[in-house]
Amino acid sequence: MIPHEHVIGLSILLFSVGVIGALCRRNLIVILMSIELMLNAVNLAFIGFDRAWAARAIASASALPGAATAATPVDGQIFVLMVITVAVAEIVVGLVIVISLVRNRDSLDVEDASLLRW
Amino acid sequence: VTGELVLFYLFASLALFSALAMVSFVHNVVAGVISLVVTMVSLAGIFVLLGAEFLGVVQIIVYAGAIMVLLLFVVMLLNLETDDFAPRSRARSLWKLVGSAAAVAFAALLALANRPQPGLTPPISGSIGGHRDIGLALFREFVLPFEVGGLILLSAIVGAVILAKRRVD
């Protein structure tokens, strides 16, 4: 059995690695990948909490007589599917912005994309 | 210690190591993309170990397959394998350090709160809902978010085509 805290702990570690990557790197593609890493860490946390919830539902269903095949709650997994959908949309638009930035500035440095800075 | 736990630690260390490699590969973007693929695949293994087999498969197909191939195509088409940027000022590096320290402090705070809870049911090792449960939930109670997700993907496609199109005069 994998303890719940270990799943959440791995999620915390991966998320903070993603935050540090998004803060410290200047390459736009690496920043996009760090954002993907953070989204994946959140997905892991969702599945960990969904697993805790399913364990409780299964335990309470087996305590009741007659309710042998209770439906497992899958709300956390539905959340993960939605996060994946939004992540795909985000990465597509992000890469298109990268392509047009390279066309206009000929650079991937975020420091060169400072036209809108006050 | 069961085999399940050993596999979890194996996948977890692999995911963490390759995530750190992705963040710290300074001059080779392609190597960074490949190490992110390793992270995604190890996370898919962890999903399967946690009982979410459907999401493990989705993780491999969508993340390790589609998204990473898209990233790799863009990196290779634009011929941007290396990044040697001009060095920037010392104050900015200081702010990077401050931000990273804040991120580490945030992670430490979360890790302190992440201890075994007395009232929690002990973990299970079977499936926590397969494709049948997910499909039923997706088309019954979550049908509105499902449709909104389709709209988001459609608008992303249209936006990508409009933004990436070369202007022809």
Side-chain angles (χ1 to χ4, degrees), chain A residues 1-2 4-6 9-10 12 19 23-27 29 36 40 51 56 77 87 96 103 108 111, chain B residues 9 23 25-26 29 40 46 50 59 63 83 86 88 96 100 114 120-121 123-124 128-129 134 163-164:
Chain A
M1 307 301 172
I2 304 157
H4 297 306
E5 315 86 59
H6 293 197
L10 176 64
I12 293 170
V19 170
L23 285 175
C24 291
R25 297 297 301 267
R26 291 163 70 190
N27 192 318
I29 290 180
E36 291 298 310
N40 260 289
R51 182 161 163 269
R56 201 182 64 173
Q77 299 191 55
V96 170
R103 268 189 204 149
L108 265 186
E111 289 292 302
Chain B
Y9 285 128
V23 168
F25 267 134
V26 181
V29 182
M40 302 292 183
I46 288 175
L50 292 179
Q59 172 88 2
Y63 265 113
D83 49 352
R88 66 179 160 191
K96 277 202 299 200
S100 307
N114 181 31
L120 208 58
T121 321
I124 50 173
I128 58 168
I134 293 177
L163 281 174

Side-chain angles (χ1 to χ4, degrees), chain A residues 68-113:
Chain A
T69 56
T72 348
V74 288
D75 301 38
Q77 299 191 55
I78 301 284
F79 260 106
V80 173
L81 277 179
M82 292 302 147
V83 170
I84 289 178
T85 311
V86 175
V88 171
E90 175 248 58
I91 200 79
V92 166
V93 176
L95 282 178
V96 170
I97 290 175
V98 167
I99 289 176
S100 50
L101 195 73
V102 169
R103 268 189 204 149
N104 289 320
R105 299 271 143 140
D106 199 24
S107 157
L108 265 186
D109 193 350
V110 280
E111 289 292 302
D112 291 340

Side-chain angles (χ1 to χ4, degrees), chain A residues 14 17-18 37, chain B residues 13-24 35-36 39:
Chain A
L14 283 177
V17 170
L37 186 62
Chain B
S13 47
L14 198 59
L16 210 58
F17 177 76
S18 51
L20 281 170
M22 186 270 288
V23 168
S24 56
S35 49
L36 192 60
T39 308

